[in-house]
Amino acid sequence: MSLKESYQFCFKMGVAIPRQVLKDEPVLRHIAQEYDSITCENDMKPENLLDAEANRKEPERYDRSPAVTFEKIDPYMEYAKKNGIGMRGHTLVWHNQTPRWFFAKDYRNEEDAPLADRETMLARMESYIRTVMTYVQQKWPGVIYAWDVVNEAVVEEGLRESFWIGTVGQDFVLQAFRFARKYSDGSAALFYNDYDTFLPWKREAIYDLILRPLLEEGLVDGMGMQTHLTMETDLDEYEKSLRYYGALPLQVQITELDNHNTDLSEESMERLAQRYESLFDRLVKARKDKAADLTGVTFWGLQDDMSWLTAFRKERSYPLLFDGQLKPKKAYYAVLGAAEK
Ligand code: GLA
């Protein structure tokens, strides 16, 4: 049985994929067999949807309604539709992978160009969210079942300093969700997504700063726990967080699962498998206990040699379920095993 078949009773099984995969037939067959959800690793982020050329060429025309181009995402949407695979829309509003010129007056490209004012940025935000959501709802109905409306807004000091804060201000998260709710046809759940969501201080901050105000206005449907783990991440604390978010009137999704691991030895791969097994035991149990409405688990990468972690951590990582040849590792069988208990 595949991952998606094993977990059909519980939640969707997903994977984030890069563009190069779309040209690789055997890999596409593998994905359709193992998963019932995909996420664009990069192509649905603002830097890939915003039409740099058009906006910068005619800044007056596009000042309050930024030009957007969909050629990069259509192939993913088509593949998903054809194969009955759902998709997570990742991500509408984020401080990262969003070009600086998007926040600048007249879309100017110089590093020190003055920022646009609040009214302009609110108009750009609304227009961007409306354009992207409307496009996928009309052209690819039924494919996207979850949107990461805002990604990674919380840091230790509170809300992260960013161009969103610097232009719109402290209420940018609320505004983004209002627009997303306004333009959603109801076919996709609206998520707040973040990393380190298992840390005690962070889950409290996310609730206070983000989820509580959004819940008060009925604007959020789900909490996305990215779940970039290391071999040291405390899974008991993780489970506490899962149940903490699960106790709110929200779905929970694991949106970017991997487990950094630099040691390729058999013992280490065995330990990795045990960690995945322990994690999935907890996920299944939370679902069975009705402690969390867990509706999806997405791996951040197909196979070890495609993982972002090697570049990010500056050391080779073997964090996923499949090796560089797409051969299932022990971790794969451990995840399957957890579904059968
Ligand atoms: C964050 C983002 C993802 C991705 C990873 C690293 O978790 O949400 O889109 O960029 O970082 O690849």
Side-chain angles (χ1 to χ4, degrees):
M1 269 216 288
S2 67
L3 291 169
K4 71 171 179 193
E5 287 160 344
S6 305
Y7 281 91
Q8 210 153 35
F9 73 104
C10 236
F11 37 71
K12 279 190 195 295
M13 288 293 258
V15 65
I17 53 173
R19 198 178 304 166
Q20 79 240 34
V21 154
L22 293 169
K23 293 198 212 90
D24 193 329
E25 277 304 326
V27 173
L28 289 176
R29 278 198 298 278
H30 164 88
I31 295 169
Q33 191 184 319
E34 294 289 343
Y35 305 95
D36 45 13
S37 174
I38 55 170
T39 306
C40 298
E41 190 170 347
N42 287 300
D43 280 327
M44 220 180 249
K45 294 171 177 172
E47 69 178 8
N48 283 309
L49 292 186
L50 285 166
D51 187 335
E53 208 186 307
N55 288 310
R56 299 228 307 277
K57 211 156 133 195
E58 294 182 86
E60 260 170 55
R61 171 167 171 203
Y62 295 118
D63 191 35
R64 290 179 163 240
S65 52
V68 174
T69 142
F70 295 104
E71 62 210 12
K72 287 188 188 145
I73 61 166
D74 275 339
Y76 295 89
M77 308 292 301
E78 192 179 344
Y79 168 72
K81 181 108 196 164
K82 214 165 82 197
N83 290 281
I85 297 174
M87 220 169 138
R88 300 197 77 262
H90 175 77
T91 173
L92 291 169
V93 172
W94 192 21
H95 65 281
N96 206 356
Q97 291 186 267
T98 306
R100 196 212 182 268
W101 59 258
F102 179 65
F103 299 94
K105 202 161 175 284
D106 304 324
Y107 294 131
R108 277 175 46 195
N109 203 22
E110 306 85 59
E111 250 173 61
D112 57 351
L115 296 176
D117 60 31
R118 171 177 161 91
E119 290 317 308
T120 304
M121 279 318 294
L122 275 175
R124 286 181 190 174
M125 180 197 263
E126 173 163 12
S127 172
Y128 180 79
I129 290 176
R130 174 175 45 74
T131 308
V132 175
M133 287 183 101
T134 308
Y135 178 83
V136 301
Q137 285 166 180
Q138 287 177 355
K139 177 135 190 229
W140 303 106
V143 174
I144 292 201
Y145 65 94
W147 273 110
D148 289 334
V149 177
V150 175
N151 196 29
E152 303 181 341
V154 174
V155 287
E156 225 150 326
E157 301 76 32
L159 284 183
R160 175 196 305 276
E161 277 307 319
S162 70
F163 290 128
W164 281 118
I165 292 274
T167 54
V168 170
Q170 299 282 323
D171 63 340
F172 87 92
V173 176
L174 194 65
Q175 299 286 357
F177 275 86
R178 282 186 187 150
F179 295 140
R181 188 61 101 207
K182 180 168 166 193
Y183 296 110
S184 165
D185 65 4
S187 57
L190 305 183
F191 275 72
Y192 174 71
N193 191 49
D194 212 331
Y195 62 87
D196 285 355
T197 51
F198 44 82
L199 299 177
W201 70 262
K202 189 143 181 180
R203 63 179 172 244
E204 305 286 333
I206 287 175
Y207 178 67
D208 284 342
L209 298 169
I210 310 278
L211 298 177
R212 187 161 46 83
L214 292 176
L215 282 165
E216 271 166 23
E217 283 191 38
L219 297 175
V220 62
D221 306 311
M223 175 63 205
M225 300 177 72
Q226 289 188 4
T227 314
H228 296 294
L229 307 175
T230 68
M231 297 302 278
E232 285 77 46
T233 309
D234 179 348
L235 293 181
D236 290 335
E237 210 52 68
Y238 185 93
E239 187 178 356
K240 263 193 224 161
S241 288
L242 172 67
R243 287 167 180 258
Y244 175 90
Y245 302 118
L248 302 170
L250 292 173
Q251 295 178 40
V252 180
Q253 288 178 5
I254 313 307
T255 57
E256 305 184 15
L257 174 59
D258 51 23
N259 193 319
H260 184 49
N261 180 306
T262 54
D263 177 357
L264 199 48
S265 71
E266 216 165 291
E267 304 81 72
S268 173
M269 286 300 119
E270 178 62 42
R271 277 203 302 281
L272 181 72
Q274 284 166 9
R275 283 184 62 78
Y276 272 117
E277 180 169 351
S278 172
L279 176 71
F280 274 82
D281 284 346
R282 293 159 199 262
L283 300 181
V284 171
K285 188 158 185 308
R287 177 88 211 197
K288 282 190 177 157
D289 293 351
K290 296 199 174 9
D293 181 16
L294 184 59
T295 52
V297 177
T298 290
F299 289 88
W300 204 252
L302 256 183
Q303 55 187 68
D304 282 347
D305 64 339
M306 287 186 185
S307 171
W308 71 294
L309 283 166
T310 294
F312 179 70
R313 301 254 182 198
K314 299 193 178 60
E315 50 185 0
R316 192 136 192 86
S317 189
Y318 307 92
L320 295 165
L321 302 190
F322 296 90
D323 73 9
Q325 274 69 52
L326 208 50
K327 219 173 102 225
K329 295 160 56 176
K330 281 198 174 125
Y332 171 80
Y333 296 107
V335 170
L336 288 185
E340 284 163 9
K341 289 182 188 162

